[in-house]
Amino acid sequence: VLIFFFFKQKTAYEISACTYFFFFQAEDGIRDAQESRGLGDVYKRQYQRRVHGELSKFLMQRLNTLTQQLVAAQRQQDDVFADVQLAPPDVILGLTLAFKADQDPNKVSLGVGAYRDDDGKPYVFQSVRKAEQKIVSANLDKEYAPIDGTPEFIKAAQKLLFVGEDVLAKYGKYVVTSQCVGGTGSLRLAFEFLNRFKPGTVYVSNPTWVNHNQIVEYMGMRLVEYPYWCPEAKGLNFPAMIGSLRQAAPGSIILLHACAHNPTGVDPTAEQWREIAQVCKENKLFPYFDHAYQGFATGDLENDSLSLKIFLEEGLQFLVTQSFAKNFGLYGERVGAIHIVCNNAEVAERVRSQLKIVVRVTYSNPPIHGARLVQTIIGDSQLFEEWKQELVQVSGRIIQMRTLLRQELESLGTQGNWDHITSQIGMFSYTGLTPKQCDLLTQKYHIYLVKNGRISICGLTTKNVSYVARAIKDVVENA
Amino acid sequence: STQSTWGIIKMLSNSIKKDLYKVVQRSFSSFWANVQQGPPDPIFGITDAFRKDSSSQKVNLGAGTYRDDNGKPFVLECVKKGQALSQQKYHDYEYLPVPGLAPFTDVSIRLAYGADSQAIKEKRVAALQALSGTGSLRLGAEFIRKFMPAGTPIYMPDQTWANHKNIFTSAGLQIKEYRYYQPKTRLLNLEGLLEDLNNLPERSVVLLHACAHNPTGVDPSQAEWRQIRDIIQKRNALVFFDMAYQGFTSGDTELDAYAVRLFADANIPILLAQSYAKNFGLYGMRVGCFSVVCQSEEEARRVQSQATIIARGIWSNPPVEGARIVESVLNDKELSQLWHKEVKIMADRVKTMRDQLVVNLRKSGSPHDWSHITKQIGMFAFTGLQPPQVETLARDHHIYFTKDGSCLLYTSDAADDLLCVDLCGRRIIYK
């Protein structure tokens, strides 16, 4: 009453509120309220520890918190971002953070799809280092690239994608290509473009790369999963897949992995690709290829683009997003491209103009450095050969690790069939481990992998493959 | 071809066949049939037209990229040294964390908010590396759309960078305007600005150019900034600062950040888009930083986590190269000093060009008052030229402006050889 008598209303409310907090500990109010910022807990601890001698210390602390409260009350009354919840960390990238924080000497990272050499270290391609030197000595400026990337890069990206002597010449005339920010940037751009001009239901494989689902949902597009992985056979469930695609409404967008499916490592055969192409033609479906592992599937660039060639031969129009992160080791430089196969020059021109507008409102123009490295390598026949050989070595080590892991598992007499470790293709293996088994692998053995049982073979080395095999045997038989 | 009936029928059938082919082709290309031709970019489109021009006298005054006195792109000395230093420090091309290179975002917010910033000391600033100014703006726009109440509009100055409206519209936000530029004086319309800000609904989002307003070059004075701050505080508004020219405006990075720091100290919720394209000359490297000044450390953590998710869906993680260069320069005492020197050189050259342009315009006998060119600040000058005059300049004199008459203050000739044009287009003097 006295406070209200002497002060203005607003101030009086504030002072009396603080006085109330100071003296009265509401059982249900302060400690449980989100806005309390843990003050209630502070009070709780204070009460439990308080003794006579510490009374003055306790009072000083109370005074501090009271001052802080008054200051905070001076700030905006209702917090702008009060409703912003703490977001969970990214599933896959969070693994890397957890791995880094782990102190155990035996830890193994089988999470992120980033290549490691036999010492578990990142590998920088020699051809990339040479290209880097070439660029430095050329003393280039740092001017803006055109919105869709430099013509040299566009040419290089197309040359790699439609590799094969006459493929580009025959079919590539009306391909609209734009440099993008890595594989994800290309994916986002593709869906922005599709959502704007050709919205439709998006069909993704079950399972698929987690960011596929996330981006489609973020764009507000309808998502349907088509069957893909067969847990019993640990392979492709083709009849169910093709059956599902036959049911798809015309105009649906079918997200396919051009090679080295992520996360299963299981790819359709050439005949199966042809059948998929036929269904797309008959039902007027729009194929969208995610091509992030060219060179990692069969070790041959041309073979890895076979699915694209088949679709081109069938006369289909489709979209490809291409990433240079893995096959050039240029992860952090964010080099990617989007390719839209059109039917004639006039359509291609219109599509290009609209694609550029989508780019302009997202990041204006693409980062130049990684693109310069890629175009330098692809544009120099010697460097290109060197790079191809390095890629064969890199993908070869992955195949070697698959063989070793399977050998170790089988020689330990691990329960179950492990053929799929060597029959699957690319950087990843869908082991078939359950989430519980994966958790145990992490907690007991400090082996980090995605909860769906996907392991990145790149994380295996000749030094740790036995350890990993023993760990898998343990969790499979005891979890 | 003969004049016979049969010849005429053949001709007709050939032309019908051609049309049929077109129709058939179109029906097979039906997938993209509804994609209309998009207009060329208002700024980069000028550069495209400039590139196609074959005249030896051509001048590009359109795109906002710095040129030295020979009209050549200028790579800063500190950037060359910074690149060498970063190649010694960093040995791989691994993915950055989604929020980017931490030493880079740390030094970036220190540059913007000041080394002694209360907000930084209290860890209240959420910061993510983004793809230059555009990427930072887009990230912020998506954040606003996701976390502010539905239908929250963003207020921008009536004259603003051509891409602003498009970025915020594509993020699904409604655009509203406040008065900013006074065409009569070619300077700030302070009265209109304050009045419009006063009428803002509670909790609006207001876009402000921190310094060197693009395209007008008209900035509020420090006293005027204080007036703006008072009204923003009164209306409980949220401010989105676009700062693309820190250091480039006055030559002093502290001065150029005055508005940002003033508002941060007043505890106004701020979002900031920082670009290193111009002040570091790192245009194509796409280096920028998006930050949010929050009420508490805990809130900054929440905001950062959500902005991270948005960034993951746009580009996954940002490009390494440019951030490593900026971080290497700003965290090295010598290189940082060198950068401050070089950015002042660039800013001083702009001021010199402004003075020279006005002197030459007066010398050429132009009857108009060109003092606004020296009163404006930054890379751009709002000349007051109209679209038909802009077209004449491009067509007949091979000088490229943007359609709104904004021009860049670097010419491809030395200071003495400026082309001066009387506004009525009657007298053209080559000096």
Side-chain angles (χ1 to χ4, degrees):
Chain A
V1 168
L2 278 173
I3 290 170
F4 273 90
F5 184 74
F6 284 114
F7 294 92
K8 272 205 296 204
Q9 193 180 32
K10 196 169 170 212
T11 326
Y13 270 122
E14 284 171 16
I15 295 180
S16 61
C18 292
T19 318
Y20 177 84
F21 286 175
F22 193 92
F23 289 111
F24 299 100
Q25 302 302 302
E27 277 304 317
D28 47 328
I30 298 173
R31 257 169 283 157
D32 300 328
Q34 238 115 14
E35 295 78 43
S36 74
R37 298 173 200 180
L39 289 170
D41 291 336
V42 169
Y43 293 147
K44 217 166 39 169
R45 286 198 296 275
Q46 298 288 9
Y47 271 127
Q48 283 161 6
R49 288 184 313 184
R50 190 164 56 113
V51 292
H52 257 305
E54 292 197 330
L55 183 59
S56 57
K57 201 166 49 159
F58 167 67
L59 282 174
M60 278 311 295
Q61 278 169 340
R62 279 295 184 86
L63 200 62
N64 279 335
T65 48
L66 174 64
T67 323
Q68 274 172 29
Q69 266 185 304
L70 270 175
V71 170
Q74 289 293 320
R75 292 189 182 142
Q76 311 262 272
Q77 294 294 319
D78 49 334
D79 214 327
V80 183
F81 299 125
D83 295 333
V84 176
Q85 302 298 319
L86 184 68
D90 182 87
V91 171
I92 300 175
L93 301 178
L95 279 179
T96 312
L97 291 173
F99 172 77
K100 280 203 180 115
D102 192 324
Q103 302 294 329
D104 189 273
N106 290 322
K107 63 178 181 176
V108 181
S109 172
L110 301 179
V112 180
Y115 181 78
R116 295 284 176 268
D117 62 15
D118 201 48
D119 296 312
K121 295 274 179 292
Y123 175 69
V124 177
F125 283 63
Q126 286 305 312
S127 42
V128 167
R129 285 211 196 280
K130 288 188 185 159
E132 187 79 73
Q133 280 165 11
K134 244 180 131 178
I135 289 176
V136 165
S137 48
N139 240 335
L140 300 167
D141 61 41
K142 317 232 179 285
E143 295 298 292
Y144 290 127
I147 295 177
D148 51 356
T150 58
E152 295 81 19
F153 174 80
I154 289 175
K155 225 170 87 178
Q158 287 179 347
K159 182 174 167 189
L160 184 65
L161 188 77
F162 299 110
V163 67
E165 294 220 347
D166 49 349
V167 178
L168 189 60
K170 215 163 150 192
Y171 303 105
K173 261 183 20 212
Y174 308 123
V175 176
V176 175
T177 300
S178 172
Q179 184 191 341
C180 300
V181 186
T184 302
S186 317
L187 188 77
R188 174 60 180 261
L189 195 62
F191 281 119
E192 291 265 355
F193 188 78
L194 286 167
N195 203 25
R196 216 179 260 214
F197 296 106
K198 219 58 193 162
T201 306
V202 181
Y203 279 72
V204 304
S205 62
N206 178 15
T208 190
W209 182 41
V210 64
N211 219 11
H212 283 156
N213 305 65
Q214 277 171 197
I215 292 181
V216 172
E217 275 158 18
Y218 187 85
M219 298 296 306
M221 298 170 87
R222 191 167 156 251
L223 183 87
V224 172
E225 286 183 322
Y226 58 82
Y228 193 84
W229 169 249
C230 179
E232 294 79 37
K234 295 210 174 65
L236 173 61
N237 187 350
F238 188 67
M241 172 185 176
I242 205 81
S244 171
L245 295 184
R246 279 193 216 282
Q247 306 288 329
S252 297
I253 300 156
I254 315 296
L255 184 49
L256 302 157
H257 298 227
C259 70
H261 185 273
N262 175 3
T264 67
V266 166
D267 286 345
T269 62
E271 296 77 47
Q272 289 170 332
W273 276 124
R274 261 186 223 284
E275 217 181 309
I276 297 170
Q278 282 305 317
V279 173
C280 288
K281 258 203 316 206
E282 281 158 21
N283 287 26
K284 291 201 180 27
L285 308 175
F286 186 73
Y288 169 173
F289 285 99
D290 188 347
H291 204 19
Y293 298 100
Q294 192 181 5
F296 280 98
T298 64
D300 179 85
L301 294 168
E302 201 171 336
N303 282 342
D304 288 354
S305 276
L306 187 63
S307 52
L308 304 180
K309 188 165 170 215
I310 289 173
F311 275 58
L312 281 171
E313 284 168 356
E314 297 287 337
L316 281 158
Q317 292 175 64
F318 55 92
L319 191 155
V320 187
T321 51
Q322 182 185 29
S323 166
F324 300 86
K326 281 88 178 169
N327 51 15
F328 280 79
L330 289 174
Y331 308 94
E333 295 288 354
R334 317 309 295 127
V335 200
I338 187 175
H339 306 265
I340 304 181
V341 179
C342 301
N343 247 2
N344 60 63
E346 192 246 337
V347 173
E349 219 22 70
R350 285 189 274 122
V351 166
R352 182 177 296 119
S353 69
Q354 292 292 350
L355 199 59
K356 279 159 75 163
I357 290 178
V358 181
V359 171
R360 182 51 159 151
V361 296
T362 312
Y363 54 85
S364 266
N365 41 70
I368 51 177
H369 192 76
R372 281 175 171 168
L373 290 168
V374 167
Q375 81 198 40
T376 303
I377 291 175
I378 297 181
D380 177 320
S381 49
Q382 197 187 353
L383 275 179
F384 195 29
E385 281 313 308
E386 268 185 58
W387 170 73
K388 280 198 250 185
Q389 282 175 23
E390 280 188 278
L391 191 55
V392 168
Q393 279 176 16
V394 158
S395 57
R397 190 185 96 70
I398 295 178
I399 295 174
Q400 187 202 11
M401 285 301 111
R402 285 186 181 278
T403 314
L404 268 182
L405 179 63
R406 180 182 162 182
Q407 269 173 19
E408 292 280 334
L409 286 168
E410 286 174 347
S411 70
L412 287 170
T414 316
Q415 206 174 60
N417 186 311
W418 299 99
D419 289 352
H420 54 285
I421 301 277
T422 42
S423 66
Q424 286 166 0
I425 300 166
M427 265 190 178
F428 303 106
S429 178
Y430 221 40
T431 55
L433 294 172
T434 64
K436 197 159 154 236
Q437 291 165 339
C438 295
D439 270 337
L440 195 57
L441 270 179
T442 311
Q443 282 153 28
K444 193 170 171 192
Y445 291 97
H446 306 273
I447 297 175
Y448 292 81
L449 72 166
V450 188
K451 282 217 194 330
N452 58 12
R454 182 193 89 164
I455 58 170
S456 167
I457 304 282
C458 315
L460 291 173
T461 68
T462 48
K463 295 128 188 135
N464 68 19
V465 68
S466 329
Y467 173 74
V468 171
R470 274 182 278 124
I472 293 178
K473 178 181 160 79
D474 180 35
V475 304
V476 160
E477 290 171 0
N478 300 322
Chain B
S1 52
T2 67
Q3 289 300 308
S4 71
T5 328
W6 183 238
I8 294 169
I9 293 172
K10 258 173 96 172
M11 262 168 57
L12 277 173
S13 72
N14 274 335
S15 68
I16 291 172
K17 259 193 237 168
K18 275 196 206 124
D19 288 333
L20 259 178
Y21 268 133
K22 276 197 203 130
V23 169
V24 165
Q25 237 186 357
R26 248 181 250 129
S27 73
F28 277 147
S29 69
S30 63
F31 201 80
W32 301 118
N34 64 329
V35 175
Q36 301 296 317
Q37 178 73 24
D41 186 83
I43 297 167
F44 289 134
I46 308 276
T47 306
D48 289 340
F50 171 78
R51 281 209 196 103
K52 294 198 183 108
D53 191 326
S54 51
S55 157
S56 57
Q57 300 271 14
K58 62 180 180 177
V59 180
N60 186 3
L61 301 179
T65 47
Y66 181 85
R67 293 286 176 268
D68 62 15
D69 207 44
N70 298 315
K72 294 278 175 287
F74 176 61
V75 179
L76 275 67
E77 196 55 42
C78 66
V79 165
K80 289 190 195 146
K81 296 199 169 126
Q83 196 155 24
L85 181 58
S86 90
Q87 274 169 358
Q88 288 170 24
K89 279 206 284 189
Y90 299 102
H91 303 289
D92 57 43
Y93 298 100
E94 292 298 290
Y95 288 127
L96 283 174
V98 179
L101 186 64
F104 164 75
T105 47
D106 284 346
V107 79
S108 199
I109 57 178
R110 271 208 314 274
L111 179 68
Y113 300 105
D116 54 353
S117 153
Q118 200 59 26
I120 294 182
K121 283 204 190 105
E122 293 170 12
K123 304 207 178 127
R124 288 192 279 120
V125 184
L128 289 92
Q129 182 187 339
L131 267 77
S132 205
T134 306
S136 310
L137 287 164
R138 179 59 183 265
L139 192 49
E142 298 273 341
F143 189 85
I144 292 169
R145 197 265 302 255
K146 206 169 169 187
F147 295 106
M148 299 286 287
T152 302
I154 177 151
Y155 287 81
M156 32 188 88
D158 53 13
Q159 292 289 347
T160 194
W161 181 43
N163 209 17
H164 275 149
K165 290 205 172 76
N166 295 330
I167 294 172
F168 288 99
T169 308
S170 71
L173 293 173
Q174 199 199 358
I175 312 287
K176 291 219 160 102
E177 278 180 4
Y178 56 84
R179 283 170 286 171
Y180 190 83
Y181 177 68
Q182 176 62 270
K184 280 200 222 66
T185 59
R186 300 204 183 96
L187 296 171
L188 182 66
N189 179 359
L190 183 66
E191 224 181 84
L193 168 61
L194 295 177
E195 204 185 305
D196 286 348
L197 290 184
N198 222 1
N199 292 330
L200 289 176
E202 287 268 327
R203 278 275 174 270
S204 308
V205 183
V206 180
L207 178 75
L208 290 166
H209 296 226
C211 54
H213 184 273
N214 175 359
T216 68
V218 169
D219 279 353
S221 66
Q222 291 196 352
E224 288 164 347
W225 274 123
R226 288 193 286 272
Q227 286 181 280
I228 297 171
R229 173 211 52 194
D230 291 340
I231 298 196
I232 297 270
Q233 254 181 323
K234 216 170 72 173
R235 304 308 305 150
N236 258 341
L238 200 84
V239 171
F240 200 156
F241 272 114
D242 185 352
M243 184 152 73
Y245 301 99
Q246 188 182 9
F248 213 103
T249 311
S250 67
D252 180 344
T253 53
E254 308 281 301
L255 266 182
D256 291 347
Y258 176 79
V260 172
R261 295 178 190 185
L262 183 71
F263 281 56
D265 290 341
N267 287 313
I268 297 171
I270 291 176
L271 295 90
L272 172 66
Q274 266 175 292
S275 165
Y276 290 92
K278 282 88 174 166
N279 56 12
F280 263 80
L282 289 174
Y283 307 95
M285 295 280 191
R286 319 310 294 130
V287 200
C289 182
F290 169 68
S291 55
V292 184
V293 179
C294 304
Q295 302 292 356
S296 66
E297 184 181 346
E298 184 256 341
E299 179 174 274
R301 250 182 279 129
R302 283 186 279 120
V303 165
Q304 175 118 353
S305 71
Q306 292 290 350
T308 298
I309 289 193
I310 298 176
R312 171 69 155 147
I314 308 181
W315 51 62
S316 222
N317 38 74
V320 277
E321 191 70 16
R324 285 174 173 174
I325 296 174
V326 172
E327 180 276 313
S328 301
V329 169
L330 291 179
N331 278 325
D332 178 288
K333 193 155 167 250
E334 257 180 60
L335 288 182
S336 175
Q337 277 175 5
L338 179 57
W339 173 65
H340 279 96
K341 240 173 58 189
E342 289 190 281
V343 90
K344 184 165 186 342
I345 291 174
M346 291 198 285
D348 286 345
R349 195 175 111 69
V350 181
K351 287 205 202 99
T352 311
M353 282 299 107
R354 285 187 184 275
D355 296 336
Q356 287 284 352
L357 181 60
V358 174
V359 160
N360 279 295
L361 281 166
R362 293 212 179 107
K363 265 203 241 163
S364 83
S366 172
H368 303 279
D369 175 20
W370 295 99
S371 60
H372 57 280
I373 300 236
T374 35
K375 286 189 197 144
Q376 290 164 4
I377 195 166
M379 246 192 191
F380 301 104
F382 226 37
T383 54
L385 292 175
Q386 299 301 309
Q389 292 159 338
V390 169
E391 273 177 49
T392 309
L393 278 170
R395 196 184 51 240
D396 300 340
H397 305 289
H398 311 282
I399 300 177
Y400 292 82
F401 284 54
T402 53
K403 278 242 153 33
D404 55 12
S406 153
C407 83
L408 182 62
L409 287 160
Y410 304 101
T411 65
S412 70
D413 304 309
D416 293 334
D417 297 338
L418 280 176
L419 177 69
C420 300
V421 180
D422 178 276
L423 251 193
C424 306
R426 272 177 304 181
R427 258 181 323 152
I428 295 107
I429 294 171
Y430 293 81
K431 279 202 181 257

